[in-house]
Amino acid sequence: MDYTLQAIIRRVQVDKLDDDEFDTGIITRFVNDTQRDIFNQFELPFQEKIFAGTVPSSSSMFSLPTDLALLQGISMADTPGFSATRMKWKDFFSKYPDNTSAEPGKPSAWTLYAGNIIFDKPTDKDYVLTLFYIRKPIVLTTPTQVPEIPQEFEELLVLGAYIRCLKFNEDNDQAAYHEIEYNKLLDLLVTRYGGRVSPGSIKMANQQIRMRRR
């Protein structure tokens, strides 16, 4: 079976719920919730992205990519050590309150604010800016879309959506039972893909799907 949103929905309906009339819209939302939950917890290689763009001459700010979730690294051509010149936004605005009116030149300080990189002065020429970051997951909306969790861990999305369906139906005991299997698979995912960088993956939040017991 193909690794698509449609295939995962079908597996949840037939293999797990044994109900091929269960609302596909609800399952779609739960599949997206599961994928988003995994992306929000870890920094793993399949979440990484590199973006290179040109900062035009006379620019005092540069818009970040809309899919950026966490900036991990940055470099600017012809500007050695650019990454180390980042400032906290409060300190930056205190030191450079009128950066747009400064004499154009090579940026020597920058900060992040409101989805933008803001420079201490307008640029004196075009610069190539390269960003290394953890991206947001795509939202799965069409049946043929391929999820962003590696295919060998497809069962994570199936189980994650299934558990949410069980909770939706107030079958919390069954949900709790399947959460054990889900968390084992999640640990395997992190072990497989997080071991590239010592000491392992960076855990951003609690990895378990929590259930409020009655």
Side-chain angles (χ1 to χ4, degrees):
M1 185 176 290
D2 293 336
Y3 184 43
T4 61
L5 173 61
Q6 179 176 289
I8 291 172
I9 290 173
R10 192 63 180 163
R11 284 192 59 190
V12 174
Q13 287 178 319
V14 177
D15 298 350
K16 302 297 183 182
L17 293 169
D18 193 22
D19 180 4
D20 58 8
E21 294 185 356
F22 195 97
D23 192 317
T24 59
I26 292 174
I27 299 176
T28 295
R29 291 196 294 274
F30 289 162
V31 171
N32 277 297
D33 287 344
T34 302
Q35 179 164 265
R36 191 178 299 113
D37 183 61
I38 294 170
F39 266 66
N40 285 342
Q41 291 182 64
F42 304 102
E43 298 174 32
L44 299 170
F46 58 83
Q47 301 170 249
E48 297 168 349
K49 188 172 180 179
I50 300 173
F51 169 88
T54 299
V55 180
S57 177
S58 301
S59 297
S60 57
M61 70 173 60
F62 184 83
S63 295
L64 295 168
T66 57
D67 64 346
L68 185 147
L70 177 67
L71 184 64
Q72 293 184 312
I74 186 171
S75 64
M76 178 177 274
D78 302 322
T79 313
F82 178 78
S83 177
T85 62
R86 178 178 176 178
M87 298 177 63
K88 295 180 179 179
W89 66 269
K90 287 185 178 180
D91 296 336
F92 180 91
F93 290 129
S94 177
K95 187 173 181 178
Y96 305 104
D98 195 17
N99 64 317
T100 58
S101 299
E103 183 73 20
K106 179 184 296 186
S108 58
W110 61 280
T111 194
L112 295 178
Y113 195 80
N116 295 287
I117 298 173
I118 303 177
F119 308 114
D120 61 318
K121 61 177 71 71
T123 52
D124 57 344
K125 64 176 184 177
D126 291 355
Y127 289 89
V128 176
L129 190 68
T130 304
L131 308 177
F132 306 85
Y133 63 94
I134 295 295
R135 60 184 174 80
K136 302 173 185 177
I138 59 172
V139 178
L140 303 168
T141 56
T142 59
T144 57
Q145 278 184 284
V146 177
E148 301 196 283
I149 303 303
Q151 185 172 3
E152 65 267 33
F153 289 97
E154 175 183 359
E155 186 70 9
L156 267 176
L157 295 179
V158 175
L159 278 174
Y162 177 47
I163 290 165
R164 287 171 167 83
C165 288
L166 290 172
K167 291 181 179 181
F168 179 82
N169 287 334
E170 298 186 352
D171 194 349
N172 290 331
D173 289 339
Q174 279 295 309
Y177 174 79
H178 289 288
E179 282 173 347
I180 297 172
E181 184 180 1
Y182 175 90
N183 287 316
K184 286 181 179 178
L185 280 174
L186 188 58
D187 285 342
L188 287 175
L189 172 72
V190 174
T191 299
R192 172 71 59 83
Y193 285 92
R196 185 195 65 182
V197 179
S198 180
S201 64
I202 300 173
K203 189 168 182 236
M204 298 173 68
N206 188 356
Q207 72 185 55
Q208 297 190 358
I209 299 176
R210 293 297 185 186
M211 183 184 73
R212 180 175 296 175
R213 298 186 179 277
R214 294 181 177 179

